[in-house]
Amino acid sequence: MTSTPPPVSRSGQRRRRMTAALPTGTALLFIAPAAVLFGLLILYPMATAVSYSMYSWRGTAQGEFVGLANFLHLFTAEPYRTQIPRALGHNLLLFAGAMVVQNSVGLVLAAILHRRERFRRLFQVLYTMPYLVSPLVVGYLWSLLLSPLFGPVNALLRAVGLDSLAQPWLGNPSTAIWVIVLVTAWQWVGFPLLIYGAALGGIAPELDEAAELDGAGPIQRFVRITLPLMMPIIGTVSVLTFIFAMEAFPIPYALGGSTGAPAGATDVMSLLFYRSAFESGSSNAIGISSAIAILLFLFIFVLSIAFTRWFRRNERRLLG
């Protein structure tokens, strides 16, 4: 017994006919502008950085070919041997904080707003407004809010009798990195909120209604039905969050400066690259900074692929 294929809608048939009738040359013509921009803005700078990282430099004059010597310098010479693991650890801490705070809060808010028709758009706009503001502006505003001299945060703590909690938040190495984690999560919570909200809108309401008729509560319906169906988009948001966290620069720069103050407690890989390229005063600044950029790219590329494959395996397991 042969199974009949599912019927195709008229719009789907029309798209198939247009795709089949589209000549290869015409298709390439449509792709060409994006391909040219990708080559000029992505591929060419990457190839240039790889080339620069394998030469020694005397200022802006290219010296002899040194192969992987610049990369070895990063792991064997100070201050890079100490600063790279510390900065990379802070980037991973930003990612962990974003996953625990930013993406979790975004998912919860998206689920709540999905069930609230009234004022939904208003709250979506309010939650996403910080995400639309420049991270540098957000960082400088929070540095003023947390100022130990005139910042309203410490003033409020003292006003309610919590003087012991008032402290120089950005001057204390034990709290500075957590301030950056929370400020970053606060600003970017609107990103997963919008993506998760769109994903929830694409889930057929009949599935939730059928589970409700079977006696499943709101939490059971969310965990057993909604969450598995959202795994593809959760994986995508998680990978994007990892990339954004590893490339973090504006907020750490605004709150801790280019040196990752205090005492390197807020240092990240992008700040290390910036210092090596523009503030180190080294004659080989181009070679070393290019090596840092390539090292960071490889780290992001490899782990992004690993995360994507892991999420896809879990999607197949959850969705059967």
Side-chain angles (χ1 to χ4, degrees):
M1 182 177 179
T2 59
S3 60
T4 58
V8 181
S9 64
R10 291 184 178 180
S11 60
Q13 292 175 351
R14 191 182 306 113
R15 284 195 297 269
R16 287 184 179 181
R17 288 196 299 268
M18 291 175 63
T19 304
L22 191 64
T24 304
T26 305
L28 293 175
L29 186 63
F30 281 107
I31 298 174
V36 170
L37 289 176
F38 181 78
L40 290 176
L41 302 179
I42 305 296
L43 294 181
Y44 177 72
M46 286 175 54
T48 303
V50 171
S51 173
Y52 287 174
S53 67
M54 294 186 177
Y55 284 86
S56 65
W57 292 79
R58 293 183 295 275
T60 57
Q62 190 178 74
E64 66 275 5
F65 179 79
V66 295
L68 299 178
N70 288 327
F71 293 92
L72 294 176
H73 182 80
L74 297 178
F75 295 101
T76 57
E78 293 292 350
Y80 300 104
R81 186 174 62 179
T82 301
Q83 292 179 353
I84 284 181
R86 181 180 63 191
L88 193 59
H90 291 159
N91 281 108
L92 293 175
L93 185 60
L94 284 175
F95 170 60
M99 290 297 296
V100 173
V101 181
Q102 169 187 306
N103 289 358
S104 298
V105 172
L107 180 59
V108 172
L109 292 176
I112 294 174
L113 293 177
H114 179 68
R115 298 178 178 277
R116 302 289 188 272
E117 291 288 342
R118 193 177 184 183
F119 302 124
R120 178 195 299 175
R121 298 301 181 193
L122 173 62
F123 283 104
Q124 284 179 338
V125 171
L126 292 177
Y127 286 127
T128 54
M129 280 182 66
Y131 162 63
L132 301 176
V133 179
S134 169
L136 273 176
V137 174
V138 170
Y140 287 130
L141 286 176
W142 274 101
S143 68
L144 295 176
L145 292 173
L146 297 171
S147 172
L149 298 178
F150 51 81
V153 173
N154 282 342
L156 179 62
L157 291 174
R158 294 189 182 97
V160 296
L162 298 176
D163 301 61
S164 59
L165 296 181
Q167 58 181 298
W169 299 96
L170 295 174
N172 187 345
S174 62
T175 59
I177 186 60
W178 296 108
V179 169
I180 290 181
V181 170
L182 294 177
V183 170
T184 302
W186 172 83
Q187 183 191 12
W188 286 86
V189 71
F191 173 72
L193 171 64
L194 290 179
I195 302 299
Y196 290 147
L200 288 169
I203 297 177
E206 292 81 6
L207 298 174
D208 193 72
E209 294 170 359
E212 186 176 9
L213 291 175
D214 289 337
I219 297 179
Q220 287 180 311
R221 297 198 303 271
F222 181 79
V223 173
R224 298 297 181 86
I225 297 176
T226 305
L227 202 58
L229 292 174
M230 290 186 63
M231 278 305 295
I233 198 64
I234 290 176
T236 300
V237 171
S238 299
V239 172
L240 291 175
T241 300
F242 171 73
I243 295 173
F244 295 155
M246 297 308 300
E247 295 178 343
F249 176 81
I251 289 181
Y253 180 81
L255 294 176
S258 62
T259 60
T266 60
D267 200 14
V268 291
M269 289 296 291
S270 295
L271 289 178
L272 180 57
F273 165 80
Y274 178 84
R275 290 198 307 272
S276 301
F278 303 109
E279 296 182 352
S280 66
S282 171
S283 60
N284 193 30
I286 293 179
I288 295 298
S289 60
S290 298
I292 294 174
I294 297 302
L295 183 67
L296 181 59
F297 166 77
L298 291 175
F299 186 80
I300 294 174
F301 181 74
V302 172
L303 286 190
S304 295
I305 292 178
F307 286 150
T308 301
R309 291 183 175 178
W310 183 80
F311 276 111
R312 286 179 178 174
R313 285 198 301 269
N314 282 273
E315 290 168 20
R316 290 192 292 266
R317 180 175 57 84
L318 289 173
L319 299 177

